Amino acid sequence: MYLADHTWPELGEALSDESVALVPLGSTEQHGPHLPLATDHLIAEALATAAAEETGVVRTPTVTVGVSPHHRQFPGTMWVDPPEFRDYVESFTRNLAYHGIDRVVFVNAHGGNVQHLREVGRRLHEDETAYAIEWMWDESIPELVDDLFEHNGPHAGPKETAMITHIAPDLVDTDRLEDARDDGLVHLDESDAVVHGARTFYDAVDNSANGAFGDPTDVTPEKAERLFEAASDQLVRLVEWLDARDRAELLPKDRVA
């Protein structure tokens, strides 16, 4: 159920102690010449919606702007600084706990958010407010992603192109797929992104002139559907696993004697 569509009396009946909430988070940032800036938050919201409908747990509104300063050179990209992002997410997660939700899945679709969501989860776990974990969709199905696409990329490549092809195909500029490939970076391991074990870059534009990585021409509607269904299935399974845990299992362990 989508929390914001319901009245408070309805939610008063639906929310209970030891319940689960899905919080979709993404970004508003460049995704090459072929995908919308909304790519990440559209993916997160679609997956959270599918899992909430399947399991009956609560889905919150989507956090649409994340930690994206490494894409700032591309027009339209928006970002918040890490401390403000962490404080904001922590604050509204505590709001959820106030209403009885004690376990939360941050349904994340932006790599720049990962470490900050994990830090928020650690804080909430440490003071026993809630058990909040970060879930990144592509990390739940790495073998399938590798099997489906010959030249993957960490950003604006075939996996994200496939997800938007499934979720919002009208937002994919199919006339620019070859441009994304040819003017971007297909083989990250052939660049100077890592030299003698050191990451040499800070911004996406340092490695890709148009912000795309990988080969998005390798996407088909069939592959797109398979990818989305596999990721949503993993999220459903995670929710079911989390819902089945006793609260005591999720709290911090006692100090070792």
Side-chain angles (χ1 to χ4, degrees), residues 81-197:
D81 291 330
E84 285 73 20
F85 177 80
R86 290 192 296 265
D87 289 347
Y88 177 75
V89 175
E90 179 181 351
S91 180
F92 75 66
T93 306
R94 291 184 185 279
N95 298 166
L96 294 173
Y98 175 82
H99 292 296
I101 292 167
D102 72 339
R103 50 204 81 186
V104 173
V105 179
F106 296 132
V107 181
N108 181 37
H110 173 51
N113 295 339
V114 172
Q115 63 179 310
H116 308 296
L117 294 173
R118 289 177 177 165
E119 169 60 18
V120 169
R122 187 196 64 78
R123 295 179 188 176
L124 296 166
H125 182 252
E126 194 169 73
D127 64 16
E128 302 185 10
T129 297
Y131 184 78
I133 52 177
E134 184 268 344
W135 179 82
M136 186 78 173
W137 71 270
D138 57 327
E139 292 181 1
S140 75
I141 49 170
E143 296 86 1
L144 179 59
V145 173
D146 286 339
D147 288 345
L148 288 178
F149 308 114
E150 183 177 357
H151 299 295
N152 286 312
H155 182 79
K159 61 186 178 184
E160 291 185 322
T161 302
M163 292 295 269
I164 299 301
T165 295
H166 182 76
I167 296 164
D170 291 346
L171 296 182
V172 179
D173 188 345
T174 54
D175 292 336
R176 300 297 302 276
L177 293 177
E178 292 185 0
D179 293 340
R181 178 195 63 198
D182 296 342
D183 298 330
L185 179 64
V186 175
H187 304 286
L188 189 61
D189 57 352
E190 295 179 1
S191 73
D192 287 332
V194 178
V195 177
H196 301 304

